[in-house]
Amino acid sequence: MYQYNEFDHAFLRDRTAEFRDQVARRLAGELTEDEFKPLRLMNGLYLQLHAYMLRVAIPYGTLNAKQMRQLGVIAKRWDRDWGHFTTRQNIQYNWIKLDDVPDILDALADVEMHAIQTSGNCIRNVTADQFAGVAADEIEDSRVWAEIMRQWSTLHPEFTFLPRKFKIAITGSEHDRAAVKLHDIGLRMRRNEDGETGFEVIVGGGQGRTPIVGETIREFLPKQHLLSYLEAILRTYNLLGRRDNLYKARIKILVAAVGIEKFAEMVEEEWEAIRDSVLTLEPERIREIERHFAPPAYEEIAEPVVSFDAARFTDPAFSAWTRTNLFPHKQPGYAVVTVSLKPAGGVPGDATSAQMEALADLAERYSLGELRIAHEQNVVLPNVRKQDLHRFWHELGTHGLADANVGLITDIISCPGLDYCNLANARAIPIAQRISRHFADPALQAEIGPITLNISGCINACGHHHVGNIGILGVDKKGVEHYQITIGGIADENAAIGRILGPSFPAEEVVDAIDTLIATFRKIREQGEFFIDTVKRVGIEPFKETLYANH
Amino acid sequence: MPIIRNGRIEENIWVSLAETDSSALSRDTPVVVGLAEWTAGRETLIANFERRAVRLENVDAVEEIADDLDFIDAVILVFPKFNDGRAFSQARLLRDRLDFKGEIRATGHVIQDQFLFLQRCGVDAVEAKDEKLLDAWMRAHKRFKGFYQPALAIPEGKSEDKVARNDGFGGAYSRVEPAVLASWAY
């Protein structure tokens, strides 16, 4: 993991002091709310329906046990004893007092954390594959590059007042777990013909009211040029992006307006002028960052691990959990574990301070002290020895964290919706809760198989409904909450935007509608076929017909 | 409106030609013109006045004045709203790309919280709403001891008159300084 040096520590202290001063000026009336707003947003502070909400950065989703424990302490001391992990690999606290924020930022700084650029029209917290560094299918560890981008983008003098927010995601694997095609800039680590690693650069993706799958502007960018290329893109966007209309200000609108080829040309021209500038990443600098991400001290463990296989054989519940919640590790004898934050009837992504404390303890004892936050709103313990898994799973169970549903229909992504958010048109959480209760039977979930179901409470799509295999979007219909359903969305390397099936449903009919879709799928699927593949094969018509048969 | 430059308040001596009867102005009056006026009358302006500033709106491309920079003493960049950040890139291009050594001034709605950003993009003067805010601006100037990413070096706080731009003051701006690089946390 990246360890702060003296510079990082001093920088955070200065930043916290700056914000303390800004809060004081706001309270003294020296800053107008209009002036204060962008400043507080750049420190992750929102004014929501009921209270201030503080969004804390978890850069590329990586944190250690100490940090997780502190997140729990903050929840207990300054919030209502829980926090909400989001699709941006952040944690949000919903019940924060403005006066407390500087103290919370100090408490975060104590453990090398902050809330810088978790909001605002700047380069947001960089997101990444939650399995980076440990995934067996990885070309290269993308955390190194995510960290380099974190540093480069932190209070970047030129790009802190962009036309609109700006999101960058990176994946180091062939299989994309970071939804890179749905970001302003997506980076995929690739190998060229000579075997060197570099980046495929994708721009102009995003969701919201204009969902677009990003397009590639460069097939292969040599590593040392990453920052100069990013500056070229950002400068082009800063100068030419629209500022007259909030809804047309994202880079995807600029790319769509000028065309991807013309946009690529403009970026390349700008890049030519700066490619060999001081932004060039010298190999020794890259190595310095790489050292922070050197593999931990793994034990040599022979496979197969007999005790693990025996436990799977004798304990069916454990066996089910290993089928859904484990991922192959690079290192023999180890597994990557996803801990589900999606219990039946629960709020997706919510964790109590006791659960955060428990996860911190478990990470120390079983995962070499490390944790990750997945954009699916789950927590990952990346380094668990297979021989420990059975005991580990039992312990998870005592904290209500042993649900065996990762990748299944109850592993729902959901935004906070109208229960918390100023922007929402409809509630999202109660819908997620009802659906997860409806499909709570593990045997039924297993039979349905891998599927993604995403819910957003408004068109801004924080719940990524556009790219859910099933997407649910809350809309306001003459003052009544309704839900529009899409199918066919995909967030990985084959990214696609879901298609709307038809008129929206009132809240009380949503569960039945989803049930109908699933029943239709089970009827028409081929042996072992996943939901998304059935939709690809037959299109949306069969689903549409059964869904609206009685309407 | 007073100007904060080199860590102190300066009188604004620059006169906007559009708002004045130019025939009444002496040759040594420093004058400001918009991009259109500059493009249309650059020869006359060069002949009639010793010091000339061009005001760029944030939709104006800095490349428009790229060939004229030897005849321009100051570029004034406009912030219609403090969170419209186009001028940051304009300033950066002027200093970094076009090697402009003269004054770059931010005008319009700028706030002290942006001071470091402005300076690191090459802006060396800002119009201040209020002279009393000088201390606050200078506090903002000293807020951070180092930065993550390379950008333009920040000028020292107070400086004496003898540090004129012809002494290479702007030169220090125009490239990233080793001291800034050292604090880049890589």
Side-chain angles (χ1 to χ4, degrees):
Chain A
M1 252 187 86
Y2 182 75
Q3 300 290 319
Y4 274 26
N5 59 22
E6 267 178 48
F7 171 81
D8 297 279
H9 281 291
F11 189 88
L12 269 201
R13 277 194 296 277
D14 291 342
R15 177 62 165 173
T16 309
E18 180 185 41
F19 191 62
R20 200 178 275 283
D21 175 53
Q22 286 166 347
V23 170
R25 281 161 60 211
R26 173 69 194 119
L27 294 174
E30 289 168 29
L31 279 171
T32 65
E33 178 55 25
D34 269 1
E35 289 173 334
F36 182 57
K37 188 177 169 188
L39 303 176
R40 68 167 159 77
L41 288 178
M42 271 184 273
N43 272 289
L45 190 63
Y46 280 77
L47 189 53
Q48 290 291 26
L49 274 184
H50 313 291
Y52 279 99
M53 181 268 274
L54 182 68
R55 183 183 290 156
V56 174
I58 301 171
Y60 41 96
T62 297
L63 73 173
N64 62 31
K66 196 174 153 194
Q67 293 171 323
M68 180 62 102
R69 192 167 286 124
Q70 187 79 326
L71 294 179
V73 168
I74 288 168
K76 197 173 179 122
R77 181 158 173 206
W78 287 292
D79 202 280
R80 297 187 178 177
D81 218 16
W82 82 84
H84 175 75
F85 291 102
T86 80
T87 55
R88 297 285 310 152
Q89 299 180 306
N90 294 314
I91 185 169
Q92 292 177 182
Y93 296 105
N94 283 306
W95 304 96
I96 294 293
K97 290 194 202 70
L98 177 60
D99 295 8
D100 289 334
V101 176
D103 289 341
I104 299 173
L105 294 180
D106 276 337
L108 288 168
D110 287 346
V111 293
E112 308 185 350
M113 294 185 86
H114 57 76
I116 298 171
Q117 290 174 207
T118 54
S119 180
N121 292 337
C122 48
I123 301 169
R124 298 285 186 89
N125 184 35
V126 173
T127 53
D129 178 358
Q130 67 268 25
F131 298 157
V134 292
D137 66 353
E138 177 171 271
I139 297 166
E140 199 173 301
D141 186 349
S142 55
R143 290 174 303 171
V144 175
W145 304 97
E147 173 58 26
I148 286 172
M149 288 189 281
R150 178 191 76 82
Q151 297 195 16
W152 161 78
S153 62
T154 297
L155 302 196
H156 195 296
E158 189 178 341
F159 306 130
T160 299
F161 298 92
L162 294 166
R164 199 76 179 86
K165 58 187 168 184
F166 202 92
K167 299 174 179 177
I168 302 176
I170 182 167
T171 176
S173 295
E174 274 297 323
H175 178 56
D176 173 16
R177 286 176 288 267
V180 301
K181 290 189 175 176
L182 299 155
H183 284 75
D184 296 291
I185 296 178
L187 299 165
R188 294 177 77 183
M189 301 207 71
R190 303 305 283 270
R191 230 183 270 287
N192 69 4
E193 284 159 3
D194 299 328
E196 297 157 336
T197 48
F199 309 97
E200 177 187 345
V201 184
I202 298 155
V203 292
Q207 301 190 55
R209 67 187 63 209
T210 318
I212 295 178
V213 174
E215 291 186 81
T216 301
I217 54 167
R218 191 166 239 283
E219 292 288 346
F220 188 84
L221 177 72
K223 285 171 168 180
Q224 70 269 27
H225 295 307
L226 177 64
L227 296 186
S228 56
Y229 204 81
L230 293 179
E231 287 225 349
I233 297 173
L234 265 300
R235 183 168 293 152
T236 305
Y237 169 56
N238 190 37
L239 285 168
L240 301 176
R242 283 179 64 172
R243 291 174 197 258
D244 59 322
N245 182 340
L246 185 67
Y247 304 118
K248 297 191 184 300
R250 297 288 289 270
I251 195 173
K252 62 189 170 189
I253 304 293
L254 174 64
V255 172
V258 300
I260 189 73
E261 272 132 38
K262 175 72 185 156
F263 185 79
E265 246 172 61
M266 293 193 293
V267 169
E268 292 280 326
E269 193 189 327
E270 175 60 33
W271 181 55
E272 278 307 317
I274 56 173
R275 59 178 286 176
D276 296 315
S277 69
V278 68
L279 284 166
T280 307
L281 288 159
E282 302 297 339
E284 59 269 29
R285 285 195 172 173
I286 297 171
R287 274 197 295 277
E288 230 176 274
I289 298 292
E290 275 172 348
R291 271 198 287 277
H292 287 279
F293 298 98
Y298 291 119
E299 293 167 33
E300 295 290 328
I301 299 171
E303 296 253 25
V305 177
V306 180
S307 62
F308 170 64
D309 291 339
R312 289 175 84 182
F313 191 70
T314 53
D315 187 340
F318 174 64
S319 179
W321 179 79
T322 64
R323 279 197 297 275
T324 49
N325 294 41
L326 299 189
F327 188 82
H329 201 290
K330 267 181 187 173
Q331 180 74 17
Y334 285 80
V336 184
V337 177
T338 300
V339 176
S340 168
L341 293 182
K342 318 287 178 69
V347 179
D350 272 11
T352 63
S353 62
Q355 285 177 325
M356 288 186 249
E357 169 86 34
L359 286 164
D361 288 345
L362 289 169
E364 267 165 0
R365 280 162 46 221
Y366 292 107
S367 181
L368 303 174
E370 208 186 316
L371 306 105
R372 310 286 179 80
I373 306 303
H375 87 265
E376 292 90 350
Q377 302 177 284
N378 292 316
V379 177
V380 174
L381 273 70
N383 297 308
V384 185
R385 297 189 308 176
K386 286 185 177 170
Q387 68 237 47
D388 294 338
L389 278 169
H390 196 218
R391 193 153 43 111
F392 173 72
W393 170 77
H394 268 298
E395 290 197 38
L396 280 178
T398 65
H399 303 286
L401 293 167
D403 287 83
N405 63 346
V406 171
L408 301 181
I409 193 163
T410 57
D411 186 5
I412 297 168
I413 291 179
S414 171
C415 74
L418 198 50
D419 290 291
Y420 295 101
C421 180
N422 252 345
L423 303 171
N425 294 319
R427 276 168 291 180
I429 290 171
I431 300 293
Q433 289 174 311
R434 274 183 237 166
I435 292 171
S436 84
R437 256 186 239 115
H438 182 80
F439 290 102
D441 175 13
L444 173 62
Q445 291 190 56
E447 206 278 322
I448 296 166
I451 185 169
T452 57
L453 192 156
N454 301 356
I455 307 173
S456 301
C458 80
I459 193 71
N460 292 302
C462 294
H464 295 186
H465 67 277
H466 295 296
V467 292
N469 296 169
I470 296 176
I472 300 175
L473 165 65
V475 291
D476 178 90
K477 225 171 160 178
K478 292 176 190 148
V480 184
E481 293 169 50
H482 273 67
Y483 297 85
Q484 195 176 67
I485 299 174
T486 54
I487 60 171
I490 311 170
D492 64 13
E493 64 278 10
N494 303 309
I497 305 298
R499 294 174 62 197
I500 299 169
L501 288 172
S504 57
F505 296 89
E508 59 276 13
E509 291 177 25
V510 174
V511 172
D512 278 350
I514 302 304
D515 193 72
T516 302
L517 291 180
I518 295 300
T520 308
F521 158 64
R522 292 173 69 190
K523 211 160 93 192
I524 62 178
R525 83 197 291 192
E526 287 176 355
Q527 177 89 34
E529 199 173 38
F530 295 176
F531 180 86
I532 188 66
D533 296 316
T534 305
V535 176
K536 277 186 190 165
R537 181 170 56 80
V538 303
I540 68 169
E541 284 308 319
F543 293 95
K544 215 168 153 171
E545 278 165 25
T546 51
L547 193 57
Y548 294 100
N550 302 319
H551 281 69
Chain B
M1 214 182 280
I3 290 164
I4 295 175
R5 184 155 177 265
N6 298 337
R8 56 195 182 85
I9 293 284
E10 288 183 3
E11 269 312 296
N12 185 7
I13 50 170
W14 296 82
V15 175
S16 167
L17 261 195
E19 294 161 18
T20 326
D21 174 13
S22 64
S23 60
L25 296 177
S26 64
R27 222 183 119 66
D28 60 356
T29 308
V31 293
V32 183
V33 296
L35 178 62
E37 292 166 275
W38 174 261
T39 315
R42 57 190 291 282
E43 278 76 20
T44 322
L45 288 162
I46 293 166
N48 290 351
F49 296 100
E50 285 168 7
R51 296 170 76 190
R52 303 157 288 265
V54 177
R55 178 183 156 106
L56 293 183
E57 303 301 324
N58 56 21
V59 291
D60 295 336
V62 297
E63 288 79 10
E64 300 275 340
I65 54 170
D67 297 332
D68 300 342
L69 290 176
D70 287 346
F71 306 102
I72 294 171
D73 298 83
V75 176
I76 297 169
L77 301 174
V78 183
F79 283 76
K81 284 183 301 192
F82 81 104
N83 55 357
D84 183 332
R86 280 175 273 199
F88 290 106
S89 286
Q90 289 176 312
R92 191 110 198 236
L93 287 172
L94 281 166
R95 287 279 187 234
D96 253 350
R97 184 75 43 81
L98 304 176
D99 209 18
F100 180 60
K101 301 274 201 288
E103 174 181 323
I104 299 180
R105 190 194 312 166
T107 187
H109 188 191
V110 286
I111 60 177
Q112 70 201 60
D113 307 84
Q114 297 176 299
F115 199 29
L116 276 171
F117 298 136
L118 290 164
Q119 293 182 314
R120 298 191 69 222
C121 286
V123 173
D124 59 352
V126 293
E127 281 188 14
K129 270 186 287 194
D130 186 349
E131 290 196 14
K132 288 198 291 292
L133 282 173
L134 179 65
D135 285 349
W137 282 82
M138 293 320 290
R139 271 203 306 279
H141 165 91
K142 290 177 192 142
R143 178 67 76 187
F144 292 94
K145 290 156 210 80
F147 306 98
Y148 279 106
Q149 59 295 101
L152 295 160
I154 300 171
E156 289 304 313
K158 303 226 177 197
S159 66
E160 302 301 324
D161 276 340
K162 64 186 177 189
V163 187
R165 59 194 160 75
N166 293 339
D167 295 351
F169 173 67
Y173 255 132
S174 60
R175 290 288 174 266
V176 176
E177 275 196 335
V180 177
L181 273 182
S183 65
W184 192 23
Y186 281 25

